């Protein structure tokens, strides 16, 4: 029962470096999401994909790009990392009926120096 | 804009006692859903309870129950018989009925004292 798997779990970047956070789910879910969690601000939606082949911006999309590679995988890319992107990143998925709960990955702790 | 506010950054409760976490939200929608998620130190997000806005009856899940006041746009979580394992950060979240954009509050850290 893997559920939602995120890699890596920890990452340290220098300002200006790029990286891709990977996310995969094995529950045949249609919808996938990327959130960031910052102290005192809860979780904020970066991008989401309602179904394979579609993506849409969330609340804080600037500085990020996403790719819905197939139904299972949804990646988040930082092209030129900035210290303001230091955060914990969560991937989540749901069946796509919206009213159902989200299943979350265990998060990626990213530090940008 | 739709917002969710948790005004209590930190709360504490004695083991076996009852505690209530507050949440208010702002929306003009009539169709929506509300959730409470628990995040222990492991960072895993765990769904605690879910409420449909069209239901007047408050949701309950074992020791967890909500007080849903739709007119007041209030959605508080009551934890009865608190246990040490309940110590975590709790997030209130709002989901508009026609999108997948789950909106979270800032979170409340709950400490359970033995």
């Amino acid at each position: 029962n893997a559920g939602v798997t995120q890699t890596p779990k920890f990452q340290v970047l220098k300002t200006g470096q790029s990286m891709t956070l990977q996310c995969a789910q094995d529950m045949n879910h249609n919808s996938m999401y990327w959130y960031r969690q910052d102290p005192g601000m809860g979780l904020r939606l970066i991008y989401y994909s309602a179904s394979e082949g579609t993506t849409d911006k969330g609340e804080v999309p600037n500085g990020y790009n996403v790719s819905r590679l197939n139904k299972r995988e949804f990646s988040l890319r930082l092209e030129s990392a900035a210290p303001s992107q230091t955060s914990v990143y969560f991937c989540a998925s749901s069946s796509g009926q919206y009213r159902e709960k989200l299943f979350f990955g265990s998060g990626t702790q990213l530090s940008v120096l | 804009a739709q917002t969710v506010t948790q005004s209590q950054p930190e709360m504490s409760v004695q083991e076996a006692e009852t505690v209530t976490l507050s949440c208010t939200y702002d929306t003009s929608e009539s169709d929506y859903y509300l959730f409470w998620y628990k995040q222990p130190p492991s960072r895993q997000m765990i769904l605690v309870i879910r409420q449909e806005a069209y239901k007047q009856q408050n949701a309950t899940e074992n020791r967890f129950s909500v007080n849903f006041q739709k007119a007041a746009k209030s959605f508080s979580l009551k934890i009865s018989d608190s246990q040490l394992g309940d110590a975590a950060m709790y997030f209130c979240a709002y989901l508009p009925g026609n999108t997948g954009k789950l909106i979270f509050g800032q979170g409340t850290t709950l400490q359970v004292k033995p």
Side-chain angles (χ1 to χ4, degrees), chain B residues 69-87:
Chain B
Q69 301 289 326
K70 190 171 184 179
K73 297 178 182 175
S74 170
F75 182 61
S76 60
L77 175 69
K78 185 172 81 172
I79 306 174
S80 303
D81 186 24
S82 297
Q83 301 175 358
L84 296 178
D86 294 335

Side-chain angles (χ1 to χ4, degrees), chain B:
Chain B
Q2 296 148 340
T3 58
V4 178
T5 302
Q6 295 177 248
S7 59
Q8 306 154 315
E10 296 179 352
M11 293 281 286
S12 65
V13 63
Q14 207 70 34
E15 194 176 6
E17 298 291 306
T18 296
V19 65
T20 298
L21 308 184
S22 300
C23 173
T24 59
Y25 58 95
D26 185 22
T27 183
S28 57
E29 303 283 338
S30 59
D31 179 24
Y32 55 88
Y33 300 79
L34 297 163
F35 304 81
W36 279 98
Y37 278 87
K38 170 185 177 182
Q39 186 181 45
S42 66
R43 239 172 31 195
Q44 187 65 41
M45 295 290 287
I46 302 166
L47 178 66
V48 175
I49 201 163
R50 172 177 173 268
Q51 174 80 43
E52 295 90 337
Y54 64 86
K55 288 188 177 179
Q56 291 186 338
Q57 186 174 7
N58 290 323
T60 62
E61 286 288 342
N62 301 314
R63 298 182 295 107
F64 299 87
S65 62
V66 298
N67 183 6
F68 174 47
Q69 301 289 326
K70 190 171 184 179
K73 297 178 182 175
S74 170
F75 182 61
S76 60
L77 175 69
K78 185 172 81 172
I79 306 174
S80 303
D81 186 24
S82 297
Q83 301 175 358
L84 296 178
D86 294 335
M89 180 165 281
Y90 287 82
F91 291 99
C92 177
Y94 162 89
L95 178 68
N98 61 347
T99 80
K101 295 182 179 181
L102 191 61
I103 301 167
F104 286 85
Q106 303 92 326
T108 297
T109 299
L110 177 66
Q111 180 185 26
V112 180
K113 299 177 180 178

Side-chain angles (χ1 to χ4, degrees), chain A residues 9-10 33 35 37 40-43 45 48 56-57 88 90 98-102 104-109, chain B residues 31 33 35 37 39 42-45 47 50 89 91 95 97-107:
Chain A
K9 294 190 183 304
F10 301 94
Y33 311 82
Y35 285 87
Q37 181 179 11
M41 303 189 74
L43 280 76
L45 183 64
Y48 72 103
D56 206 349
K57 294 178 181 179
V88 179
F90 286 95
Y98 298 138
R99 289 145 178 78
E100 296 186 18
K101 71 175 186 179
L102 267 63
F104 285 85
S106 57
T108 296
Q109 174 72 60
Chain B
D31 179 24
Y33 300 79
F35 304 81
Y37 278 87
Q39 186 181 45
S42 66
R43 239 172 31 195
Q44 187 65 41
M45 295 290 287
L47 178 66
R50 172 177 173 268
M89 180 165 281
F91 291 99
L95 178 68
N98 61 347
T99 80
K101 295 182 179 181
L102 191 61
I103 301 167
F104 286 85
Q106 303 92 326

Side-chain angles (χ1 to χ4, degrees), chain A residues 4-111:
Chain A
V4 179
T5 303
Q6 288 182 238
T7 55
K9 294 190 183 304
F10 301 94
Q11 184 71 47
V12 178
L13 293 177
K14 294 181 179 179
T15 297
Q17 287 185 320
S18 62
M19 79 159 295
T20 299
L21 280 64
Q22 307 287 352
C23 176
Q25 51 89 11
D26 62 1
M27 296 173 282
N28 200 37
H29 283 168
N30 290 314
S31 300
M32 298 185 73
Y33 311 82
W34 277 106
Y35 285 87
R36 61 177 287 173
Q37 181 179 11
D38 301 294
M41 303 189 74
L43 280 76
R44 292 180 293 168
L45 183 64
I46 304 171
Y47 271 94
Y48 72 103
S49 171
S51 61
E52 185 179 357
T54 68
T55 61
D56 206 349
K57 294 178 181 179
E59 184 183 355
V60 288
N62 291 345
Y64 305 94
N65 287 301
V66 291
S67 295
R68 183 74 183 268
L69 304 170
N70 47 55
K71 192 171 185 179
R72 289 187 65 249
E73 299 172 289
F74 188 39
S75 62
L76 178 72
R77 183 162 178 84
L78 287 69
E79 291 291 351
S80 180
S84 61
Q85 294 178 305
T86 294
S87 187
V88 179
Y89 291 85
F90 286 95
C91 178
S93 71
S94 70
S95 66
Q97 298 305 311
Y98 298 138
R99 289 145 178 78
E100 296 186 18
K101 71 175 186 179
L102 267 63
F103 290 79
F104 285 85
S106 57
T108 296
Q109 174 72 60
L110 175 66
S111 295

